[in-house]
Each structure stands twice: as C-alpha cells, then as structure tokens.
Amino acid sequence: MTRIGFMSDLHLDSNQFGHFERQTLKDVLKKARIDHLHIAGDLSNDLAKISLPFIEDLRQELPISFNLGNHDMLGLSEQEISGYDFQVQQFGQTKLVSFSGWYDYSFVPEKSKEEHLRTKTNFWFDRRLERHLDDSSITAHILQKLEKLLASLNGPIIVALHFVPHKDFLYDHPYFQRFNAFLGSQAFHQLFVKYEVTDVVFGHLHHRRQSQAIDGVSYHMRPLGYIREWKLTQNFFNTFPQYKIAQMYRLHKRYNTVKNLEEFLNYKKKHLADELRDALIILDTKS
C-alpha cells in the first residue's frame, strides 16, 4: 500500500513560509506516514526562485510531485506550462494523472464573453499571465488531450488538477459570484465520469470541503489558502476577542492588525501543525 498525501494552494510567498513552516510541514507529513506528496498547484508566484527550491528541500524527506496552478504560471511560456501537464505516475495498480486545468466561463453562462473579459482584465490575477489562446480554446485543447490520455489508461485512476471541475463547489456569495467564471469547467467532471476516475483532488477555490461523491467520482478539496483565511487566524480572534475589528469580514484588514503581534505569532506556532494537517488529503492505494 502507498499512502499518497495531497495539498494545494500553499502560497509560500504570501504565507511567508520560512524554516519553521517547512519543518512543521515535514513533521506533519512524517507523522501522517505519507509515502508520496503531490501538490495540486499554487505553490507561489515564482516557480524558479521559490517553488522549485521548496520542492527540492522537501524531496530530502520524501518523493514529491506537483502540477501548476495559475499563480505558478506567472512568467512562464506556453511551452513551459504545457511541459508540466499530464504527468502519469504509477502506484501499484493505480495511476495518478496530474495537470493544471483551466476555465471556459461555463460556470456563468448567463454573462457574455465580453463581460467576463472586463472582469478578468480589471480584477482577476490571470490578467498578468500571457496565454497564446483565449480561455475557452485553452480549455478545449486541455480537454482533448485529457480525454485521449484517460482513454489509454487501465485500472484505478486518481486525478489531481488545480482548477474546479464541478459547479457544486462554487461560492454562492454575491461578491465571489463574478469570479466563478474563472474557476474551472464542468466539462472536466463529464470526462471523469466517462472514464470512471475514482478520485479527484483539486484546489484553487480557497475553501475546504468534506470529501464528496458526485456521479461516482469522489472529490477532495482542502486547499491551505492564505493565512488570513486559515482556521487558526479565525480561532485567534475568538481566543483574543480584544483584537477584533469592526469589519471582521475584511479578512486582509483583520489579519494585518495582528500579524506582527507576539500573541499571534506564538498562537500560530502552537497551532500551525493542526492547520497543515487539516489541509492534507490522504488516499491509500493498493499495491
């Protein structure tokens, strides 16, 4: 049996992952008896200078693989992005297929392409990426390659991707609804069902959910996300209510008010292992 651990959305730069954070993660993985770790995208905004050295450091402890997220693509050429897609790893009889994915606006069909592009250009991170095709064409190309690959594989298949493959995981909140178009595509789910994929791990949407089976596919989403979104940050304010601000719903603002406080730094050190463990998905494969 191989115990595969999955994580996503570490955002090493935004979360200021230093020696203590790396060592805590290593300890969590060791305690969980992880044989192989796969990271499903968004390690950082700098693949060469931050993400790859981090991966090499972890590889001193255990085997690591990863696929790109949109943040990892910053500064990469289309050829470099494609080079990380559609890796296939064998664990006993089980294959792990990993790729980044993309989006085609199909989650928000009531808006026009022009409306989506205005939102993307003004607000969304991906405006900083230089892709050679439009979003729908990129997704169609990925789906074509994915179907060809899945059709060629036998035995149990686990898929890891970054983007959201089913509409049931989207935020139902007025502020976030305008971004749903850029989160993924329902077409990925349709292929997973067609080729009887057993498990799918993804991230991108910074919201941890319990594993959920849809049409026979088991979905797993437990991204780490930004520290301002972490459970330990919310719990800190519950433990130290004197630091609450009037607009607690403004996560960035509330975090900035406490991030340098000795009480918060100590609280983070005490509870970081629990936060990392909560963002760890474990799937056991048979030999």
Side-chain angles (χ1 to χ4, degrees), residues 170-184:
L170 301 178
Y171 275 132
D172 185 21
H173 185 284
Y175 176 78
F176 293 106
Q177 283 176 349
R178 60 178 171 166
F179 301 127
N180 283 342
F182 317 117
L183 296 183

Side-chain angles (χ1 to χ4, degrees), residues 266-282:
N266 290 335
Y267 192 89
K268 176 189 171 186
K269 284 187 175 181
K270 183 178 180 180
H271 296 281
L272 179 62
D274 292 334
E275 191 75 32
L276 295 173
R277 180 61 183 86
D278 189 61
L280 175 65
I281 296 162
I282 301 175

Side-chain angles (χ1 to χ4, degrees), residues 40-43 67-74 100 102 129 162-163:
D42 276 7
L43 284 115
N67 58 264
L68 300 181
N70 52 325
H71 283 258
D72 303 300
M73 296 176 185
L74 191 63
S100 60
W102 200 246
L129 305 180
H162 184 66
F163 287 84

